[in-house]
Amino acid sequence: MKSPYTPLVNDLQTACGRGGIVLDYGCGSGKVSRRLLDAGAAAQVVGVDISTDMITLARAQTPQPAARFHTIDSGHVPYPDDTFDAIVCCFVFINVPTREELRAIARELARVLTPTGRLFIVDSNPAATGVPFPTFRSGEPGRGYRDGDERKVSLQIPGTGILELVDRHWFISTYEAVLTEAGFTVDKVTDRGAQTVEDVGSQAPIDHPPFMQITAHLQDHSESTIGAG
Ligand SMILES: C[S@@+](CC[C@H](N)C(=O)[O-])C[C@H]1O[C@@H](n2cnc3c(N)ncnc32)[C@H](O)[C@@H]1O
């Protein structure tokens, strides 16, 4: 199965060039931060996460001096407005339990992104819920999930076995709504898939890839005032 991080790194490089400062929101152990630095897609990376254990791991596993890591409260990034040329946020929204918290995160990402910056969100694809892939299955086959429902996930960990987790099922339309409310324009969704419970139950799941990526930029003044009278 293809890694979702390869297209992410390529797209970030294409959109932002090299040499910028990138925020890795919900960085976990710092895997994405290291990939961005190794690929030369960022000159500096700041990784933030609500888990102190993850930040300790990220610091221990990341030898590159251009990486910094901080433990944060959800939705608060300890940097001034307009700091980051790009933001990546991988497999975080599926771990956030409420729409209100998603909104707070999106608002904070909008605050710290430069006006010309790009936001990249990668998550498991809600349209592929219940589909068994070689290394994971997110959700139970044949079951319809409502927006915000808990979803059981089975992860195949090499050398360890199956790890069972619970994440959240968010419709793509929810990602789009919270981003738009926070001042973003969504440029691209790689796989729009199902939008309703009925769609999820009736789709041909094999058509949908396991991961989806959303790319967004901040609305400029002319975009946000269109139609405002
Ligand atoms: C599945 S891991 C993904 C880690 C990393 N982004 C990656 O792709 O390897 C999700 C991470 O998001 C963090 N997280 C969950 N909710 C968060 C929030 N509200 N704000 C910041 N980080 C959060 C978790 O602590 C965890 O490290």
Side-chain angles (χ1 to χ4, degrees):
M1 193 164 57
K2 279 191 198 150
S3 163
Y5 303 126
T6 306
L8 169 71
V9 172
N10 291 340
D11 290 352
L12 189 146
Q13 236 166 2
T14 305
C16 307
R18 294 160 184 262
I21 174 165
V22 177
L23 175 67
D24 181 3
Y25 187 89
C27 61
S29 62
K31 196 165 41 184
V32 182
S33 297
R34 288 189 292 279
R35 283 187 80 137
L36 290 170
L37 289 172
D38 288 346
Q44 289 178 60
V45 174
V46 172
V48 298
D49 201 288
I50 51 169
S51 161
T52 305
D53 288 349
M54 282 296 158
I55 292 300
T56 303
L57 207 57
R59 286 183 181 140
Q61 292 186 354
T62 309
Q64 293 98 323
R68 268 171 289 162
F69 295 100
H70 308 281
T71 306
I72 59 160
D73 291 328
S74 178
H76 178 68
V77 178
Y79 282 81
D81 297 359
D82 304 347
T83 296
F84 296 98
D85 301 302
I87 298 175
V88 296
C89 182
C90 301
F91 303 104
V92 179
F93 276 35
I94 53 165
N95 284 297
V96 172
T98 67
R99 197 171 167 127
E100 210 30 70
E101 205 179 328
L102 290 179
R103 284 193 182 110
I105 292 170
R107 280 196 301 269
E108 185 67 349
L109 299 184
R111 182 185 71 76
V112 294
L113 187 64
T114 59
T116 55
R118 284 283 180 284
L119 168 67
F120 299 88
I121 293 180
V122 172
D123 258 328
S124 35
N125 185 354
T129 297
V131 180
F133 293 104
T135 55
F136 81 103
R137 194 192 72 208
S138 185
E140 291 158 54
R143 185 184 146 188
Y145 286 81
R146 290 181 302 266
D147 199 37
D149 272 357
E150 287 192 344
R151 195 171 57 175
K152 281 188 193 159
V153 180
S154 305
L155 286 177
Q156 181 77 48
I157 310 290
T160 305
I162 303 278
L163 177 65
E164 303 275 359
L165 304 167
V166 174
D167 70 10
R168 292 282 165 169
H169 182 87
W170 294 113
F171 292 164
I172 296 277
S173 55
T174 296
Y175 288 81
E176 292 175 310
V178 299
L179 292 177
T180 305
E181 284 163 24
F184 287 99
T185 296
V186 173
D187 300 308
K188 191 173 166 194
V189 182
T190 53
D191 187 82
R192 190 162 294 274
Q195 292 291 304
T196 68
V197 173
E198 290 71 29
D199 288 346
V200 171
S202 64
Q203 70 191 347
I206 205 71
D207 291 336
H208 297 290
F211 308 114
M212 60 93 182
Q213 182 182 300
I214 296 178
T215 311
H217 70 275
L218 288 171
Q219 290 163 18
D220 65 26
H221 186 66
S222 58
E223 282 177 270
S224 59
T225 53
I226 287 172

